[in-house]
Structure formats: structure tokens, C-alpha cells
Amino acid sequence: ITSVADFIGSRYGKNNKVAAVAAIIAVVGTIPYIALQLKAISGSVDTLTVEFSNGFPSGNSPFGDITFFVAVILAVFTILFGTRHADATEHQHGLMLSVATESVIKLLAFMAVGVFVTWFMFDGVGDLINKASANPNVMNIVNAGFDANNFLILTVLSLMVFLLLPREFHVAVVENNTDEELNRARWLFPLYLVAINLFVIPIAVAGALRFGIAADADEYVLLLPILEEQRALGLLAYIGGLSAGTAMVIVAAVALAIMISNDLVLPLILRSRATKGRSDPENMERRILNIRRMSIIAVLALAFA
């Protein structure tokens, strides 16, 4: 099994047409997701440049469009680390090491900002609750109540995509080495989710107290340390967000490139060879790698567009 499209096709008698449809759906559905990550990365770069140097307004970098350079760098990195082997079941240890590293950096950065906001900006959780209770902006959010329908929809969607998104499937199935890794992930991954969510509410409340509706909530983690003149912590928060966004894009691009190559392009090439009556063996390793590399460039170009 080389991708979620390959898996679905194999469940229908190794039907290539089913796999091709699954691959097309995955590509169409994932490109807007990659676009959001590119936007988030470039937006955080703009925020940092404005806050650190007051040099230029957001979106008007003297280097041109930041998002374009982000897309180019990610394409180069993905090609270097994600297309070393033509065999899609060959493990990409460098790629997985980079994903593991970004996960640790992201967790440390988020928890560092959470600790700073809770116990340095405010005098602990109690002080944060007292000030939030007296703030109309926060109380308006609280008084809006619990949206059960929205919660249910998001939970069901999360359950559905947990293993069916191309990048999740790639990491959990294609890159999996042993049963021991899965057994470790069963307790380590939920523990990671608990840890990285510990300070979500304190940071959200602190952002609402300090900025009201003047700032985007997505930027609270970056803006709160900078507001308090903690530029090193702000830079750490930026690196954490950058590493998270880049890892998502890289793994998604690799997974889509494998699908495009194995389920869309290669079947057409093989069918063309059969139509021409060619049955001589051909070493297609170089061609497969080039197809995947071009697919990565195409996916990131479409996401940028």
C-alpha cells in the first residue's frame, strides 16, 4: 500500500479507476488546505517583520510576495527529502525525522508561550479568570453558550479524516516500520494532544483581554509575547508555527505526488506502451522520480495560485 488511493482501490479488486477517482478527490481537497498553510506561514512572516522592525506594512515585503518564496523553498525541500526512492514503500527516514522534530519544537514553543501568558503576563489561572469575568468581550463569547451542533460536526469530521487524509495515512501506514511504533503511538499521540491543548484557553482569553476584536485570534500566540517585549519568545513561537505549517505541507505534497504518479500518470504511460505493442522491459525509476518531482511542483504552484 503506497497511498490512501491505493488502499481504496485495493479494496475493490485492485481497481485502478477507483484509485484514480480517490486520487483526484484527494488532490482537489488537499490543495486548498496547502494554500491555507502557505497563507499562514507568509502571514506570520509579515507579522514578525512589522512588529520587530516597523519596516513595511503587511503583505508589502521589499522582497516581493513572501508566499511565493515560501512555496519555492518548500517545493525544493520536499523534492530533496521526499523523492529519494522510486519505490513508494521505501521509508523516508529523513522526512520522518523532520516531522518528528517539528512536533517537538511546536509543543515546546506553544507550552512556553502558555506558561508565560498564564504566570508572567497574569498572576496565574485565578487572576486570568477574574479579569476575564470582568471583561465584556470575553463574557460575550462565554454567554454565547455551547454550540452542540458545531461540536458534533467537527468531531465527526475529525473521526472521518483521522486516517483518511493523505498525509495522515502516509505517516501512519506507508511510513510505519513496526507494530511497536503503533503501540507507542497509541499512548504517546493522545498524551501529545493533551499537552499541546493545555494552554489553548488561557492564551485565547489573554488575547481577547489584550486585543479585543482588533487582532486575528490565530495570531495571539505570536502577538502576546511581542506585545510584552519578549522578542525571543515571540521568535520561538514563530519558529514553532513555521515548523508545524511546513511539515504539514511537505508530507501532504509527498502523499499527493505518490498518488498522482502511481494512480494517474503511470497507468496512462503503461497503457500507451501496451497500445503501441511494446512489451520490452524498461527501467522507469528515473521517470517515476521525475513525475513525482513535477507533481510536487504542480501541487504547490496550484496551492499558491
Side-chain angles (χ1 to χ4, degrees), residues 33-56:
Y33 165 82
I34 295 175
L36 284 173
Q37 300 304 319
L38 294 178
K39 183 179 178 182
I41 294 168
S42 60
S44 60
V45 171
D46 286 339
T47 300
L48 261 193
T49 10
V50 171
E51 295 295 336
F52 271 58
S53 65
N54 296 317
F56 51 86

Side-chain angles (χ1 to χ4, degrees), residues 77-78 80-85 87-102 170-171 174-178 181 250-251 254:
F77 187 90
T78 306
L80 290 176
F81 282 85
T83 58
R84 292 185 172 186
H85 313 287
D87 182 2
T89 60
E90 187 81 23
H91 294 297
Q92 311 278 357
H93 297 296
L95 179 68
M96 288 300 100
L97 178 62
S98 67
V99 172
T101 303
E102 73 81 13
H170 186 82
V171 172
V174 180
E175 293 292 347
N176 177 57
N177 288 300
T178 63
E181 288 186 357
I250 289 166
V251 178
V254 168

Side-chain angles (χ1 to χ4, degrees), residues 30-132:
T30 306
I31 284 175
Y33 165 82
I34 295 175
L36 284 173
Q37 300 304 319
L38 294 178
K39 183 179 178 182
I41 294 168
S42 60
S44 60
V45 171
D46 286 339
T47 300
L48 261 193
T49 10
V50 171
E51 295 295 336
F52 271 58
S53 65
N54 296 317
F56 51 86
S58 178
N60 293 316
S61 162
F63 305 106
D65 192 335
I66 289 289
T67 317
F68 174 75
F69 291 101
V70 169
V72 170
I73 292 169
L74 288 179
V76 171
F77 187 90
T78 306
I79 288 170
L80 290 176
F81 282 85
T83 58
R84 292 185 172 186
H85 313 287
D87 182 2
T89 60
E90 187 81 23
H91 294 297
Q92 311 278 357
H93 297 296
L95 179 68
M96 288 300 100
L97 178 62
S98 67
V99 172
T101 303
E102 73 81 13
S103 298
V104 174
I105 293 172
K106 177 173 61 178
L107 178 63
L108 292 176
F110 198 83
M111 293 194 76
V113 173
V115 169
F116 170 76
V117 166
T118 306
W119 284 284
F120 291 87
M121 280 185 65
F122 297 89
D123 293 328
V125 177
D127 180 47
L128 198 56
I129 291 173
N130 292 334
K131 288 181 177 173

Side-chain angles (χ1 to χ4, degrees), residues 211-240:
F211 303 115
I213 59 172
D216 188 341
D218 288 339
E219 297 180 351
Y220 286 171
V221 177
L222 195 57
L223 291 176
L224 285 168
I226 295 174
L227 179 72
E228 297 295 315
E229 300 293 328
Q230 299 294 323
R231 294 193 168 190
L233 185 58
L235 190 59
L236 177 63
Y238 165 72
I239 292 172

Side-chain angles (χ1 to χ4, degrees), residues 158-202:
S158 298
L159 286 169
M160 289 171 63
V161 306
F162 177 70
L163 196 58
L164 296 180
L165 279 179
R167 65 188 182 89
E168 266 82 352
F169 188 93
H170 186 82
V171 172
V173 178
V174 180
E175 293 292 347
N176 177 57
N177 288 300
T178 63
D179 289 343
E180 285 73 22
E181 288 186 357
L182 288 178
N183 290 332
R184 191 182 308 120
R186 284 178 179 174
W187 63 266
L188 188 58
F189 184 56
L191 186 65
Y192 182 94
L193 291 179
V194 170
I196 205 167
N197 279 282
L198 283 175
F199 292 104
V200 168
I201 291 177

